[in-house]
């Protein structure tokens, strides 16, 4: 009876105060939707996580593209040394990361921003989508982009369709950004450019130039048209290191430092040793730490750095632990607070190649080449750029693995091109200089370095020593290099019809030795 009376009185009280229910029952400490809108938090909160998703963790980069581009190598014989780095695919997550961490939230935030009329936020999300899939397609080839979010399993875009969509989206993005350079709504969420829309426009335009060059051999007419559009656009391109697109680490440690110093799973590559020491490149002191054991560098004690051959013979992890780590500064979150996605040195090298290809507005090839090298030296705080650029004698060195007897893991350098520009040389020689320097400057973001190697054949990287490829994922011939990553098992299991469609657009089997669209294998000129 008492319980019934209590409920009756409660209901009576509720009915008596419904006139001011909303006011009385609003939690004064709760953030309302309207207050979130006033600060753009209901859309802006998505962006830091989306941007962070551009880089994955150990298996997404360090044991894939970073090894394939031969910047870093691992001392650890994972799975009996039969793994991605020796061309047998064990780990393949980049696809899922891009869709789960970028494409899905981007779709959601675009819908919210469109509903509220926040066009700059819409196009910022669209730009992040372009960056995401334009990077991931260099791994896989065909991907889901224009049809993302379709029910029943979206079909893949072919690579020509992807690039057409990228360029179309960049047209709109750059137009909206360039018309709204005084917009300040991004500032609380943009740790890269502090909300500077004009800077984002310059990056987007530089991205157009990158993508145009990527297809310069397979579709030279489209590449030239898009490249010249980027070169002529009044919004401009990245011009200095202050324009670099860097991702904030938000106080976290640079992930390759964790891989290197906490897990002892990555070290300097033998290819870096060969090229940087041979060219007497002072950037090596900012990239890597010298070894403690001088017996490892008896062939070049004045440059005490030692790397591991990519795809090398590995027996015990401890064998190569004493080799050069990445520079110790990377292990300090107070010193290394960002990770680059695109830096101005790349733009200069793109313009240098564009000049060789006769693209209007590219400027002088030598001037751009030398500006790219100087910008990279400046970025890394390295001295001696002028002397380096004048060196017409130094060449990369041969590599010796001091751990194992005989010729195990050793290689003979294949590069016969010096650093100094030679205006009388043919375009092929000039291109090799450009791409080799672009490869060095790409350190810590090897995605485009792997693209350039497949696209041009430069730098002249050594073959992997131990090729474990087989029919499971495709056989890479002993005189070749891996060409792509297969579509991941998550897609094979959850979206088999789309995988079959994507494979039909690939131009070959879903294997690691199938060339991507822009990787023609033909001459560069």
């Amino acid at each position: 009876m008492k319980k019934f009376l209590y409920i009756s009185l409660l209901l009576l009280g509720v009915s008596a105060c419904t006139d001011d229910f909303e006011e009385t029952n609003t939690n004064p400490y709760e953030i309302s939707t309207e207050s979130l809108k006033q600060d753009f938090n209901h859309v802006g909160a998505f962006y830091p996580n989306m941007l962070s998703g551009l880089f994955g963790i150990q298996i997404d980069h360090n044991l894939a593209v970073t090894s394939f581009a031969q910047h870093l190598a691992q001392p650890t014989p994972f799975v009996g040394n039969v793994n991605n780095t020796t061309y047998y695919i064990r780990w393949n997550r980049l696809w899922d990361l891009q869709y789960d961490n970028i494409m899905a939230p981007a779709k959601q935030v675009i819908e919210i921003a469109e509903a509220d009329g926040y066009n700059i936020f819409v196009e910022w999300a669209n730009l992040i989508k372009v960056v995401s899939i334009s990077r991931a397609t260099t791994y896989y080839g065909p991907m889901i982009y224009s049809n993302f979010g379709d029910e029943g399993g979206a079909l893949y875009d072919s690579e020509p369709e992807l690039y057409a969509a990228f360029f179309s989206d960049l047209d709109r993005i750059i137009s909206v950004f360039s018309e709204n350079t005084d917009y300040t709504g991004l500032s609380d969420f943009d740790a890269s450019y502090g909300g500077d829309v004009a800077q984002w426009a310059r990056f987007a335009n530089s991205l157009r130039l990158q993508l145009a060059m990527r297809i310069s051999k397979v579709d030279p007419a489209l590449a030239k048209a898009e490249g010249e559009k980027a070169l002529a656009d009044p919004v401009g391109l990245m011009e200095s290191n202050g324009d670099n697109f860097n991702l904030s680490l938000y106080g976290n440690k640079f992930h390759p430092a964790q891989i290197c110093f906490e897990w002892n799973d990555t070290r300097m590559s033998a290819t870096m040793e060969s090229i940087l020491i041979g060219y007497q490149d002072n950037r090596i002191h900012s990239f890597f730490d010298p070894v403690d054991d001088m017996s490892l560098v008896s062939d070049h004690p004045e440059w005490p750095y030692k790397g591991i051959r990519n795809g090398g013979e590995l027996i015990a992890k401890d064998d190569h632990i004493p080799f050069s780590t990445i520079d110790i500064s990377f292990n300090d979150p107070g010193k290394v607070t960002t990770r680059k996605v695109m830096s101005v040195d790349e733009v200069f090298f793109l313009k240098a190649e564009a000049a060789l290809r006769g693209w209007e507005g590219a400027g002088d090839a030598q001037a751009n080449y030398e500006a790219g090298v100087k910008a990279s030296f400046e970025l890394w705080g390295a001295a001696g750029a002028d002397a380096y650029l004048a060196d017409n004698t130094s060449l990369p060195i041969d590599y010796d693995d001091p751990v194992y007897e005989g010729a195990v893991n050793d290689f003979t350098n294949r590069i016969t091109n010096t650093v100094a520009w030679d205006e009388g040389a043919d375009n092929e020689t000039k291109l090799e200089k450009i791409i080799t320097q672009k490869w060095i400057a790409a350190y810590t973001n090897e995605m485009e370095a792997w693209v350039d190697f497949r696209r041009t054949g430069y730098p002249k990287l050594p073959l992997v020593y131990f090729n474990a490829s087989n029919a499971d994922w495709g056989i890479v011939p002993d005189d070749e290099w891996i060409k792509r990553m297969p579509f991941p098992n998550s897609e094979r299991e959850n979206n088999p019809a789309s995988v079959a469609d994507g494979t039909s657009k690939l131009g070959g089997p879903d294997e690691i030795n199938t060339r991507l669209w822009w990787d023609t294998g033909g001459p560069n000129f």
Side-chain angles (χ1 to χ4, degrees):
M1 182 67 178
K2 288 181 180 180
K3 184 177 180 181
F4 175 79
L5 177 61
Y6 172 80
I7 294 174
S8 299
L9 290 172
L10 179 61
L11 291 174
L12 178 62
V14 170
S15 64
C17 65
T18 51
D19 291 342
D20 61 353
F21 178 84
E22 182 174 354
E23 179 181 349
T24 304
N25 289 277
T26 298
N27 185 341
Y29 303 106
E30 186 178 85
I31 301 174
S32 69
T33 302
E34 289 306 311
S35 64
L36 284 173
K37 286 186 177 182
Q38 290 174 7
D39 296 327
F40 302 109
N41 281 293
H42 68 305
V43 288
F46 286 81
Y47 290 85
N49 285 335
M50 285 195 295
L51 287 165
S52 297
L54 292 173
F55 284 97
I57 58 174
Q58 181 178 20
I59 63 176
D60 312 306
H61 287 272
N62 186 257
L63 294 175
V65 64
T66 304
S67 182
F68 301 155
Q70 298 193 17
H71 275 197
L72 301 176
Q74 85 286 349
T76 311
F78 294 106
V79 200
N81 206 34
V82 178
N83 56 63
N84 290 26
T85 67
T86 55
Y87 297 172
Y88 186 91
I89 306 307
R90 299 285 184 182
W91 313 289
N92 190 0
R93 289 196 329 147
L94 188 73
W95 179 288
D96 296 328
L97 287 174
Q98 300 312 293
Y99 288 106
D100 294 344
N101 295 359
I102 298 177
M103 292 295 285
K107 182 178 185 296
Q108 184 179 358
V109 74
I110 286 170
E111 291 173 353
I112 297 170
E114 285 179 337
D116 289 335
Y118 298 151
N119 290 338
I120 306 300
F121 279 95
V122 170
E123 299 308 343
W124 192 20
N126 279 321
L127 177 57
I128 296 169
K129 286 170 53 182
V130 174
V131 176
S132 168
I133 301 304
S134 71
R135 287 163 65 88
T137 185
T138 68
Y139 270 49
Y140 300 110
M143 296 195 72
I144 303 169
Y145 183 73
S146 61
N147 300 313
F148 177 76
D150 287 0
E151 295 182 3
L155 295 180
Y156 295 14
D157 291 310
S158 68
E159 291 179 86
E161 290 169 336
L162 282 173
Y163 285 87
F166 296 153
F167 291 133
S168 177
D169 285 349
L170 287 171
D171 283 340
R172 187 190 62 257
I173 292 164
I174 293 169
S175 176
V176 171
F177 281 179
S178 62
E179 293 170 1
N180 293 275
T181 56
D182 58 347
Y183 185 77
T184 60
L186 307 184
S187 58
D188 288 342
F189 317 101
D190 177 13
S192 297
Y193 289 132
D196 189 333
V197 177
Q199 286 276 35
W200 280 109
R202 284 190 284 274
F203 162 67
N205 198 38
S206 302
L207 177 62
R208 183 198 297 279
L209 184 60
Q210 179 194 79
L211 299 180
M213 190 60 69
R214 197 185 287 172
I215 65 169
S216 58
K217 288 171 62 174
V218 69
D219 194 339
L222 178 60
K224 185 173 189 290
E226 292 294 334
E228 290 181 345
K229 184 186 294 186
L231 292 162
D233 197 308
V235 76
L237 296 162
M238 298 160 65
E239 297 180 351
S240 71
N241 280 314
D243 296 329
N244 293 352
F245 176 25
N246 299 316
L247 294 180
S248 174
L249 299 178
Y250 298 101
N252 296 313
K253 184 180 289 188
F254 180 65
H255 188 63
Q258 183 179 36
I259 301 169
C260 182
F261 296 106
E262 295 181 23
W263 305 340
N264 276 325
D265 278 342
T266 198
R267 291 292 185 268
M268 176 186 189
S269 75
T271 308
M272 274 286 193
E273 176 190 335
S274 169
I275 292 176
L276 295 179
I277 292 177
Y279 281 153
Q280 302 179 61
D281 192 322
N282 284 327
R283 286 171 289 187
I284 196 173
H285 308 306
S286 299
F287 289 1
F288 303 104
D289 271 358
V291 296
D292 293 325
D293 182 355
M294 293 299 291
S295 70
L296 298 175
V297 292
S298 58
D299 52 341
H300 47 74
E302 68 282 9
W303 293 84
Y305 299 87
K306 177 53 65 175
I308 302 171
R309 183 168 182 178
N310 293 95
E313 182 71 45
L314 300 174
I315 300 172
K317 180 173 181 173
D318 287 348
D319 291 346
H320 294 87
I321 291 297
F323 286 31
S324 288
T325 64
I326 63 175
D327 188 84
I328 190 63
S329 63
F330 286 107
N331 203 38
D332 185 349
K335 292 180 179 178
V336 177
T337 61
T338 62
R339 184 170 189 174
K340 69 175 179 178
V341 178
M342 191 176 197
S343 47
V344 71
D345 48 70
E346 181 179 351
V347 176
F348 285 123
F349 293 130
L350 287 167
K351 290 168 67 177
E353 183 175 351
L356 295 186
R357 297 190 179 282
W359 293 3
E360 186 175 348
D364 179 72
Q366 178 178 354
N368 281 308
Y369 168 75
E370 294 181 348
V373 172
K374 289 178 180 179
S376 180
F377 269 66
E378 177 189 70
L379 178 63
W380 292 100
D386 289 336
Y388 180 81
L389 285 165
D391 187 348
N392 62 1
T393 58
S394 297
L395 292 171
I397 60 174
D398 297 338
Y399 173 76
D400 173 67
D401 185 337
V403 174
Y404 301 138
E405 294 183 1
V408 175
N409 293 335
D410 299 352
F411 65 78
T412 300
N413 162 58
R414 302 192 303 127
I415 299 173
T416 58
N417 210 336
T418 62
V419 172
W421 189 261
D422 179 3
E423 189 56 36
D426 58 23
N427 277 352
E428 199 66 50
T429 301
K430 293 175 180 176
L431 180 64
E432 182 181 0
K433 290 180 187 288
I434 292 167
I435 301 300
T436 300
Q437 289 301 317
K438 190 179 176 187
W439 177 88
I440 297 171
Y443 182 62
T444 71
N445 179 26
E446 295 81 9
M447 190 79 73
E448 208 64 21
W450 187 35
V451 170
D452 284 334
F453 173 65
R454 289 174 288 169
R455 177 175 67 89
T456 69
Y458 301 129
K460 293 178 180 176
L461 303 177
L463 295 159
V464 297
Y465 183 82
F466 176 53
N467 181 346
S469 65
N470 66 29
D472 290 350
W473 299 108
I475 298 172
V476 177
D478 288 339
D479 60 348
E480 274 289 353
W481 294 262
I482 189 171
K483 302 301 182 186
R484 64 181 288 270
M485 290 286 278
F487 297 128
N489 284 336
S490 58
E491 278 293 284
R492 296 167 185 265
E493 294 166 2
N494 300 323
N495 202 4
S498 295
V499 170
D501 178 69
T503 302
S504 72
K505 297 171 179 174
L506 182 60
D510 180 19
E511 296 179 352
I512 62 175
N513 57 339
T514 296
R515 292 180 182 272
L516 297 185
W517 176 57
W518 40 263
D519 176 13
T520 66
N524 287 307
F525 297 97

